Each structure stands twice: as structure tokens, then as C-alpha cells.
Amino acid sequence: MNKSFLGALLGILAYFLLALGFVFQKKGIGIFSKERKRSDFIFWISGLILININPFINFFALNLVPSYVVNAISALTIVFTILLSALLLKEKLFTSDIIYIIGITIMIAAITFKTKDTPQLMPPFILSFIFAVLPIILFFLILPFMHLASKNQLEGKGSMPAFIKVIIPSITSGSMAGFMVVAMKLLQLDKGSQLKLTYFSSIYLYLFLLNGLISFIAIQIAYKNGSMIMIAPMQYGFTVLYPIIISLFLFPLKNGFFESFDIIAMTLAIFIFIWGIVVKHNN
């Protein structure tokens, strides 16, 4: 079997399981309430297991294809989530959703084709570190405002804005999850593509784990405060947008600006399709 084809298949499987895991967690989010049921516990834990299988499959996919390809494939998570939400959460699926899903799939194929021969060399550490901590800093910056808004809500002084309780947690969680794909590639470039104990001496492993932990916390906050159909496009949109954009700085393309401009344009098209889904369901 062709190496690139196998890598793409592994990437698709990884993000299908990730979408299924997040839908299961949303279905079992009642685990954090006083009225929790046994089914909440089963769904939430099953989701946690599936989410944690994703990085292992991604690791093998990244051995076969560049991180650009895996980043592009990650956009399929929104496709899987919309369909699984309709099936398992009984959320409404519109005809326009199918059109947007087709648009997303076409853009993914175009990005994958355009970046299939991209060479990837180890970038400067300081650049990787800056991109690793940017979404983490943004998430922590909104926590005091979230606490204040929650306090005001309890005192009857207004409700917590969706921007604070859903949008920022979803965006930052998606960005951190996206950086994890890049961090995994950096780890392979630093210590080799075979799993071994020397991985524990690489700073990129700990940047990967840190982003994974805080991304998980951020998305649980979003799940508690918003609907899956609202959260998923923002979360997965930035899971795609953030790593593709930062990869243009970390792993420059052969033809420089013009090729990078094409990738950014196609990535923005994915975001527009995703936002179209958000707006439709919000209305």
C-alpha cells in the first residue's frame, strides 16, 4: 500500500475517533452535575479513552506524511462531529451543512495535494515555544473575566457572555489541539520517528502534554456552557487553522510567499465553510 495513502487513512481514523470521543463526552457531560447518571459516566469515560487513542494513531500517520497533510485531514473532524451529533445527540442537520461539508473536503484535498512534497527541518526552538504558549496565555487571560461574569450571574447582575464562556475556550482548545500535531512532528525531528525512552528528554514532549492538558480543561468549560453544534466548528476550525498557519513559519514552503498565500487562502475557505455551519445553527 502507498505510504502516503496509508498515512492519510491513519489520519482520517485518528480524527474520526477524536470526533466520536468528544461527542461521547458531550453526551455524558452530566457527569459533572449532581443529577449524574450511570450512562453519563460510561459515555464520558468512553470519550476520554477515544480522545487519548488519537495521538498514538497520529504519531504513526506523521511518520508517513508531512504535518501539513495531517493538519488538513484534521478538518474532517468537523464533518464527523456534525454527522455524529445529528446521529447520537439528535441535533438538527441542515441541507446547507452537507454543502459546507463538501466544501471543507475539497479544500482539505487541495491543501494535501499542494503540500505533499514539503521538506520539514527542525525550526528554531524559540519560535516553536512562542507558538506553543500563545493559546495557553489567551485561555488563562480570560479566566478572571469568566470568574467575574460567573459571580455577577449568581448575583443576578446579568448572564455570562458567550464570548467568554464558549467562544474563547473553544478557540483556545482547538488551537492547543492543533499545536499538538506540530509538537509531535517536532518530537520526531528531535528524537527520531521510533518510539523510545529518549523522548522523555525532549522539551517538545512536555509542550505536547501541556497543550493537551489545558486544551482538555478548556473544552470541558465550553461543553458545560454551550451546545456541541456551536462549539465544534470553532474548536475544530482552529484545530486546522492554527497549526497550518504556524507551520508556514516553522516549515517554510519551497516557493515562499506565493505558495504560502495559496495555503492560507484555502485554509480561510475552510474557516468560512465552518463559520457558515455555526451561523446556520445559531439562527
Side-chain angles (χ1 to χ4, degrees), residues 135 138-140 142-143 146 160-177 214-226 231 234-236 238-239:
L138 177 58
F139 174 66
F140 279 110
I142 63 109
L143 289 181
M146 189 178 293
M160 191 187 305
F163 180 78
I164 292 176
K165 68 180 181 180
V166 179
I167 295 177
I168 293 296
S170 299
I171 287 173
T172 53
S173 176
S175 298
M176 287 181 259
I214 301 176
S215 173
F216 182 77
I217 293 170
I219 203 60
Q220 296 306 313
I221 291 173
Y223 284 162
K224 187 176 179 181
N225 295 306
I231 295 165
M234 291 183 291
Q235 179 193 6
Y236 301 136
F238 278 83
T239 298

Side-chain angles (χ1 to χ4, degrees), residues 75 79 96-110 266 269-274 277:
V79 178
S96 59
D97 293 335
I98 305 298
I99 296 171
Y100 291 134
I101 285 172
I102 292 171
I104 290 169
T105 305
I106 292 171
M107 290 300 105
I108 290 170
M266 286 186 284
I270 291 174
F271 181 77
I272 291 168
F273 288 134
I274 288 170
I277 294 173

Side-chain angles (χ1 to χ4, degrees), residues 23 67 144 166 171 196 247 274:
V23 170
S67 62
V166 179
I171 287 173
K196 47 192 174 183
S247 289
I274 288 170

Side-chain angles (χ1 to χ4, degrees), residues 73-87:
I73 289 172
S74 68
L76 284 173
T77 314
I78 181 62
V79 178
F80 296 139
T81 303
I82 293 294
L83 297 176
L84 289 168
S85 294
L87 182 66

Side-chain angles (χ1 to χ4, degrees), residues 3 10-11 18 32 35 54 68 111 143 159 172 174 186 204 208 221 251 264 271:
K3 187 173 77 169
L10 286 173
L18 182 67
F32 296 110
E35 298 79 23
N54 168 269
Y68 281 101
I111 291 173
L143 289 181
S159 60
T172 53
L186 293 170
Y204 298 108
F208 172 88
I221 291 173
F251 311 113
I264 291 173
F271 181 77

Side-chain angles (χ1 to χ4, degrees), residues 80-140:
F80 296 139
T81 303
I82 293 294
L83 297 176
L84 289 168
S85 294
L87 182 66
L88 299 176
L89 302 179
K90 309 302 180 186
E91 295 186 358
K92 189 171 178 59
L93 183 67
F94 294 100
T95 303
S96 59
D97 293 335
I98 305 298
I99 296 171
Y100 291 134
I101 285 172
I102 292 171
I104 290 169
T105 305
I106 292 171
M107 290 300 105
I108 290 170
I111 291 173
T112 302
F113 176 77
K114 198 161 186 62
T115 59
K116 62 182 173 57
D117 299 319
T118 303
Q120 299 199 327
L121 303 174
M122 180 63 79
F125 170 73
I126 187 63
L127 197 58
S128 302
F129 182 78
I130 289 170
F131 288 130
V133 299
L134 273 177
I136 295 174
I137 291 172
L138 177 58
F139 174 66
F140 279 110

